[in-house]
Amino acid sequence: MSTESIFQTHLILGYVAWLFCFGAYILPWLMSMDRVRAHRAIATLHSFRFFGLVFLLPGVVGPNLPASFATFAAYGDLAAGLLAMLALITIRIPQIFWLFVIAFNLVGMGDLILDYYHAIQAGLPARAGDLGAAYAIPIIYVPLLMISHVFAFYLLLRPRPRPAQALAGETAVS
């Protein structure tokens, strides 16, 4: 099996495994929370994205890891992680909290999509060994990040539930 095939298989199976885990455990847990707590949990996960700077660390990644991929991935992750931390810091100021929730999700998802693009352009799947110890990031961590971004956007875009009193009043009038 080629390096590219192994990498692509790992990537696909990373998504499959996380979708199983997310559907069975994380989704029911997040759905049991109000929106603020759910977004806070997602932001907490994404606050660890500073770890993406490892793509710039010689000895962790191979010396031939394409800079076109590594630099963008490292700083895109850092930006998303810092925005997630700002969301967590501002949780008591709703307008600012929601601004940072939207920002870290837009920046974070955009970063992941552009990382895939840069990886393909640089031929990274065929050279996946150049990721070195950071190989686990796109295989194990990135699928969870992408899935949680998709769910965060779902939460942001779905209609807010109306208070029980308003619903009771509407049914009495109807």
Side-chain angles (χ1 to χ4, degrees), residues 2-5 7-8 61-69 118-132 135:
S2 71
T3 300
E4 185 172 2
S5 295
F7 180 77
Q8 290 171 340
V61 296
N64 298 320
L65 183 66
S68 61
F69 166 79
H118 288 133
I120 291 166
Q121 291 300 312
L124 189 61
R127 303 169 49 192
D130 291 334
L131 286 164
Y135 183 88

Side-chain angles (χ1 to χ4, degrees), residues 69-155:
F69 166 79
T71 304
F72 190 88
Y75 290 113
D77 272 350
L78 178 62
L82 291 174
L83 288 167
M85 288 180 190
L86 287 169
L88 294 169
I89 290 169
T90 61
I91 195 147
R92 296 187 190 274
I93 309 166
Q95 297 83 357
I96 297 173
F97 169 75
W98 290 113
L99 178 69
F100 282 124
V101 165
I102 292 167
F104 96 75
N105 279 292
L106 285 173
V107 169
M109 184 178 248
D111 168 57
L112 296 177
I113 291 168
L114 288 171
D115 289 346
Y116 283 129
Y117 172 78
H118 288 133
I120 291 166
Q121 291 300 312
L124 189 61
R127 303 169 49 192
D130 291 334
L131 286 164
Y135 183 88
I137 293 173
I139 302 307
I140 297 172
Y141 192 41
V142 168
L144 176 59
L145 295 175
M146 184 63 86
I147 292 165
S148 64
H149 278 309
V150 169
F151 182 70
F153 282 118
Y154 165 77
L155 284 178

Side-chain angles (χ1 to χ4, degrees), residues 39-55:
H39 281 288
R40 185 179 188 186
I42 294 167
T44 301
L45 169 68
H46 287 267
S47 70
F48 287 91
R49 287 182 72 169
F50 63 85
F51 187 69
L53 287 173
V54 76
F55 288 123

